[in-house]
Amino acid sequence: MNLENLNIWCWVIPALVGIIAGVLGYLIGKGSNTSVTGNTANINVLETENAKLKTELENCNKKLSAAATLPKTKVTPASLAASVPTADSFDAEAAKAAFGKKIKENDLKIVEGIGPKIEELFHGFGIKTWKDLSKVSTTKCQEVLDSGGSRYRIHDPASWPMQAKMAYKGQWKELVKWQDIHKSGKY
């Protein structure tokens, strides 16, 4: 009787191990399938964005070739001044609509990557407005950061003058879109 019980266990134990292994394999396989699906979705989004950018590029190239066929006109300082957008007045409502919160004029903290302490550093260097910051080189921005000590070394000011220029010109939608695409203010 002892031998018969032993023979049954020789069949039951491998069968249980097989069933448990099968269930675990199924669960693990199902879990990895979701990550493949997620990657496929990311690839589809990137391919769609790439197609849009290619279309934009084609349109720009068409406009460029059309502009090349136009007759040349004499450019004067007065005509240049008329074509360049200016930021004569701050439109708080447009800024609020784009950002979803109240924006104060010349608040350097609107530039992604600049917080209250870094804003104070810029103020100490006489850079108090978006226009001032838009005219500063990246090297000068780094110099301002270095003046604050080693804790500011992690910041990358490469995009700050460009973001400040968008704010100065009142290009709120463009600024928000740029900040959404370039997380943490990096290119």
Side-chain angles (χ1 to χ4, degrees):
M1 181 133 162
N2 219 357
L3 274 177
E4 288 178 18
N5 285 340
L6 183 63
N7 281 339
I8 292 175
W9 287 111
C10 288
W11 289 98
V12 172
I13 290 175
L16 286 175
V17 169
I19 292 171
I20 292 171
V23 169
L24 284 176
Y26 172 78
L27 293 175
I28 290 171
K30 187 174 181 177
S32 67
N33 262 352
T34 58
S35 66
V36 171
T37 306
N39 288 338
T40 304
N42 287 341
I43 290 171
N44 290 338
V45 168
L46 292 174
E47 286 175 346
T48 304
E49 188 174 331
N50 189 25
K52 287 179 186 176
L53 290 173
K54 283 181 181 179
T55 305
E56 277 184 44
L57 178 62
E58 288 174 14
N59 290 338
C60 286
N61 284 334
K62 286 177 186 175
K63 287 179 184 178
L64 183 60
S65 19
T69 60
L70 292 175
K72 304 285 183 203
T73 57
K74 186 176 180 182
V75 178
T76 63
S79 66
L80 268 180
S83 66
V84 175
T86 59
D88 294 328
S89 63
F90 170 65
D91 187 355
E93 290 303 315
K96 183 178 182 178
F99 279 91
K101 63 180 183 179
K102 186 175 179 180
I103 304 296
K104 293 181 183 177
E105 186 173 7
N106 292 315
D107 181 3
L108 298 184
K109 295 183 297 294
I110 196 72
V111 172
E112 191 163 337
I114 296 181
K117 298 287 185 182
I118 294 176
E119 182 180 46
E120 287 178 25
L121 291 174
F122 277 101
H123 286 176
F125 276 75
I127 301 167
K128 298 181 180 188
T129 66
W130 295 321
K131 184 176 182 180
D132 294 340
L133 181 57
S134 72
K135 293 181 177 183
V136 172
S137 69
T138 303
T139 306
K140 181 67 174 180
C141 288
Q142 191 61 54
E143 182 184 322
V144 171
L145 285 174
D146 292 343
S147 74
S150 62
R151 67 181 178 176
Y152 295 104
R153 286 187 188 155
I154 62 169
H155 297 282
D156 181 8
S159 67
W160 295 355
M162 184 224 22
Q163 291 183 63
K165 187 174 187 177
M166 283 192 247
Y168 168 66
K169 289 186 172 185
Q171 298 170 336
W172 301 113
K173 290 179 183 176
E174 293 86 351
L175 178 58
V176 168
K177 183 178 178 182
W178 189 92
Q179 288 178 347
D180 286 343
I181 292 171
H182 301 89
K183 300 295 182 216
S184 303
K186 296 180 182 176
Y187 285 106

